[in-house]
Amino acid sequence: MRAFSSFSVIILVLLVTGIASSHERKEIAGLSVVFGGSPEPMLDNEVILLEWRITDLKTEEGVANLQDVSVIVKIDGKEFGPFETQSAFRNAGTYRTRHIFTKSGEGEATLTFKKEGEDMVHTLTLTFRIGSRVDIEIP
């Protein structure tokens, strides 16, 4: 029984570590930004939503009133965009862009926005990885 418990704990740690590593969290201008993609794993030649969940550090509530929110995606040294974000109606503070990446590899997404009533532009760059669909295909 003890061996099963230790094994279960190891598996749980590996799963949690894998999930946590697929999202990146940063703080900027009194806001917490959690970045990730959907669906996971993110694979080439599929529709991918890049998502930013933005909450106020003090209230921990979603911030739905950001202005001039846009994203530039950089892959292999080439920039694409800017892309306008769409807000999620049911999840205040969630902003998304939709993409189809045609090859696997590392990328960067640079989010630019202004807080409501402020002139200062905030910029935040986060990284992501697109896996190869071929790696999981079964003939």
Side-chain angles (χ1 to χ4, degrees), residues 12 22 24 57 63 74 90 105 119 124-126 129 136:
L12 182 61
S22 64
E24 189 173 355
L57 284 172
V63 179
K74 187 175 183 179
R90 294 190 175 136
D119 292 331
L124 181 64
T125 300
L126 301 141
R129 173 147 180 59
I136 65 168

Side-chain angles (χ1 to χ4, degrees), residues 14 19 21 23 28 30 33 37 40 50 55-57 72 84 111-112 116 118 128 137-138:
L14 290 174
I19 291 169
S21 66
H23 288 84
I28 184 172
V33 179
E40 289 184 328
L50 295 180
T55 55
D56 185 287
L57 284 172
I72 293 180
E84 289 185 26
L111 179 70
T112 303
E116 185 176 46
E118 295 183 7
F128 62 91
E137 288 180 350
I138 299 173

Side-chain angles (χ1 to χ4, degrees), residues 64-85:
N65 57 355
L66 297 179
Q67 299 174 337
D68 302 327
V69 184
S70 67
V71 174
I72 293 180
V73 175
K74 187 175 183 179
I75 297 181
D76 292 334
K78 296 179 185 175
E79 288 188 358
F80 302 91
F83 301 98
E84 289 185 26
T85 62

Side-chain angles (χ1 to χ4, degrees), residues 49-67:
L49 295 176
L50 295 180
E51 298 181 322
W52 294 261
R53 172 80 174 129
I54 302 174
T55 55
D56 185 287
L57 284 172
K58 292 179 184 173
T59 66
E60 297 183 8
E61 293 182 10
V63 179
N65 57 355
L66 297 179
Q67 299 174 337

